[in-house]
Amino acid sequence: LLSVGAFVAELWMVFIGWFLNQTARASYQHVLLQELLGPLTARQAMSPDPETVGPDVPVDALVHDYFLRRPYNAFPVVQDDVLVGMVTLNGLQDLPREAWEGKVAAHVMVPLEKLVLVDPETPMVQVLERMQNSESRRVLVARDWELMGIISASDIARWLDRVALMD
């Protein structure tokens, strides 16, 4: 029979082995993802020319004319061809229905300084790292404040599916 101390030591070794195995798997997956995304840039992975809204669109119209009629969970907010923010479905869900009156996209949008914005030539490895640290899980692709595209997790998944088909 094992003593309590020997049992604890064995259990500790099992835990360390499990932890090292998990770390190795995560490292391998990270290296594999870097290899797959290595040659890719934001321009190649983005959904170009995303649908946008103006900052003066009433919240009621955002909900009924955009979020309920289109398959998107976020819309970049653009004024005079300049990117100024993004409205998200999650952000609107936090706003009670009775508070919609008199509110427009500019009142409920995530401001530009809280968004992840990248140049079209940014390597996708860097884009993915920045995306993982963002609340919205989206990256806006722009040059000189002009919106060129958007990258979501589904864009990356579609690209990885295409790569898998080529192997």
Side-chain angles (χ1 to χ4, degrees), residues 3 7 89 97 144 148:
S3 69
F7 176 74
L89 185 57
R97 175 82 167 97
D144 299 325
M148 299 175 77

Side-chain angles (χ1 to χ4, degrees), residues 16-84:
I16 290 172
W18 174 83
F19 177 77
L20 290 174
N21 184 33
Q22 293 300 105
T23 303
R25 283 184 184 193
S27 294
Y28 172 73
Q29 289 172 346
H30 183 72
V31 167
L32 186 61
L33 195 57
Q34 282 186 326
E35 187 175 309
L36 290 172
L37 296 178
L40 190 64
T41 64
R43 180 188 310 275
Q44 294 166 304
M46 72 183 185
S47 291
D49 303 316
E51 189 168 353
T52 63
V53 298
D56 57 347
V57 174
V59 168
D60 190 67
L62 283 172
V63 172
H64 293 101
D65 298 338
Y66 289 89
F67 288 109
L68 291 178
R69 294 179 188 246
R70 293 162 172 86
Y72 309 118
N73 292 327
F75 291 92
V77 180
V78 174
Q79 181 173 25
D80 299 323
D81 295 327
V82 175
L83 180 63
V84 294

